[in-house]
Amino acid sequence: MSRLASAVRALAVIASAGLFAVSGAVVAPAPPASAAPEPKAPAGFVALSAVDKSIVQEMRYTTEHNFVGEPVDGYRQPLCILTRPAAEALHRAQVRLLARGYTLKVYDCYRPQRAVDHFVRWAQDLADARMKGEFYPLVDKSRLFADGYIAEKSGHSRGSTVDLTIVRLPAVPTRAYVPGERLVECYGPQEERFPDNSVDMGTGYDCFDTRSHTDDPRIQGVQRANRQLLKGVLTGEGFVNLPEEWWHFTFKPEPFPSTYFDFPVARRSVAGR
């Protein structure tokens, strides 16, 4: 074999092994660029606990006890994240409620777009009705978009919207949900529904039913008074209620009225704030 042929053969072996000769040394090629780091919350977002540690947090979408029936994409830790003005307004509302023997309890706060996308995929899968018995017993799943229960965008993703309720003090923790347990309609009597530790609001949280409308005429007595207490305290601090959901409030004016964020719900997203 000629010297030229030997050299060509050696280069072929090196190339096939993915190696390159540099100044007489054989080195591996540069590794591919790593994936882009996950986004973090911009300045202006905080963990609610950094503003008020007394507000109870029961973050439903990190658990299996929600209308999807599984932890939702983007919820890494059971943590309420909000824009600072919304968190500070909740603190003011909490001070008013504590004086009356109550505390706020949040179910959901900032919601990443990837979580909303998860809801959309779930709603399109008509075969998955595992949580229908509790959360949407009277609604055909094919109607969730048309009836406004599911949408491709959520105000929660802008960071100033919160889902919450009121708990009488001293607060007894809500028991853990057991996957597969018998489901009870979310509009049933309080003593029969899943035993949330909140005051009786007439329906459970995330109840896809017209009885969840804040001023539904079928909700009377103590249940109506409880809804009006929650609404009155929050509107007094700058929140606006969504009429279709007694639990849903948005702080106005929103610091980010047109931006839908997608950073994960995790402490690292708001580290140092």
Side-chain angles (χ1 to χ4, degrees), residues 61 67 111 116 119-120 122-123 135-136 139-156 163 206-210 212-213 242-245 247-248:
Y61 297 144
F67 60 86
R111 180 183 303 166
V116 180
F119 292 164
V120 169
W122 166 81
F135 292 96
Y136 52 107
V139 180
D140 190 293
K141 195 174 180 184
S142 65
R143 296 283 309 171
L144 293 181
F145 289 101
D147 291 349
Y149 293 113
I150 299 293
E152 294 182 349
K153 294 289 185 183
S154 169
H156 280 274
D163 294 341
D206 262 352
C207 186
F208 294 4
D209 190 271
T210 54
S212 293
H213 293 187
L242 179 68
E244 291 77 19
E245 298 176 353
W247 56 81
H248 181 119

Side-chain angles (χ1 to χ4, degrees), residues 183-251:
L183 300 178
V184 177
E185 296 89 343
C186 54
Y187 50 74
Q190 186 183 37
E191 62 273 15
E192 297 178 13
R193 299 195 304 263
F194 182 82
D196 193 303
N197 63 354
S198 72
V199 300
D200 188 1
M201 293 291 189
T203 77
Y205 169 56
D206 262 352
C207 186
F208 294 4
D209 190 271
T210 54
R211 276 165 280 204
S212 293
H213 293 187
T214 306
D215 293 320
D216 186 280
R218 291 168 291 181
I219 304 300
Q220 295 293 327
V222 173
Q223 297 172 339
R224 189 174 190 84
N226 289 334
R227 291 187 183 189
Q228 292 306 311
L229 173 60
L230 177 64
K231 182 179 178 180
V233 169
L234 290 178
T235 56
E237 300 300 339
F239 286 91
V240 176
N241 175 237
L242 179 68
E244 291 77 19
E245 298 176 353
W246 60 257
W247 56 81
H248 181 119
F249 290 83
T250 300
F251 179 77

Side-chain angles (χ1 to χ4, degrees), residues 15-252:
S16 66
L19 305 174
F20 298 89
V22 179
S23 300
V26 177
V27 297
S34 58
E38 281 199 308
K40 296 185 68 173
F45 278 83
V46 295
L48 176 61
S49 58
V51 175
D52 192 314
K53 295 183 182 299
S54 68
I55 297 175
V56 178
Q57 298 189 31
E58 186 182 310
M59 310 305 291
R60 287 287 184 88
Y61 297 144
T62 64
T63 76
E64 294 175 289
H65 189 219
N66 57 64
F67 60 86
V68 177
E70 62 188 12
V72 177
D73 290 354
Y75 287 86
R76 306 284 176 77
Q77 294 169 315
L79 179 72
C80 173
I81 295 175
L82 289 169
T83 60
R84 181 172 287 279
E88 291 177 345
L90 275 191
H91 167 69
R92 296 192 297 271
Q94 175 75 341
V95 170
R96 294 172 60 184
L97 282 171
L98 289 174
R100 301 179 62 169
Y102 297 96
T103 178
L104 291 170
K105 180 175 80 169
V106 295
Y107 294 113
D108 191 35
C109 302
Y110 158 75
R111 180 183 303 166
Q113 181 61 44
R114 70 191 74 181
V116 180
D117 295 341
H118 189 166
F119 292 164
V120 169
R121 292 194 304 274
W122 166 81
Q124 292 170 337
D125 181 4
L126 301 184
D128 183 356
R130 71 188 103 162
M131 303 302 286
K132 179 178 176 62
E134 178 175 352
F135 292 96
Y136 52 107
L138 298 180
V139 180
D140 190 293
K141 195 174 180 184
S142 65
R143 296 283 309 171
L144 293 181
F145 289 101
D147 291 349
Y149 293 113
I150 299 293
E152 294 182 349
K153 294 289 185 183
S154 169
H156 280 274
S157 301
R158 301 194 297 263
S160 296
T161 295
V162 59
D163 294 341
L164 73 175
T165 188
I166 294 173
V167 176
R168 184 178 291 277
L169 293 171
V172 178
T174 298
R175 74 163 175 82
Y177 167 74
V178 179
E181 69 176 81
R182 186 178 72 89
L183 300 178
V184 177
E185 296 89 343
C186 54
Y187 50 74
Q190 186 183 37
E191 62 273 15
E192 297 178 13
R193 299 195 304 263
F194 182 82
D196 193 303
N197 63 354
S198 72
V199 300
D200 188 1
M201 293 291 189
T203 77
Y205 169 56
D206 262 352
C207 186
F208 294 4
D209 190 271
T210 54
R211 276 165 280 204
S212 293
H213 293 187
T214 306
D215 293 320
D216 186 280
R218 291 168 291 181
I219 304 300
Q220 295 293 327
V222 173
Q223 297 172 339
R224 189 174 190 84
N226 289 334
R227 291 187 183 189
Q228 292 306 311
L229 173 60
L230 177 64
K231 182 179 178 180
V233 169
L234 290 178
T235 56
E237 300 300 339
F239 286 91
V240 176
N241 175 237
L242 179 68
E244 291 77 19
E245 298 176 353
W246 60 257
W247 56 81
H248 181 119
F249 290 83
T250 300
F251 179 77
K252 300 286 186 175

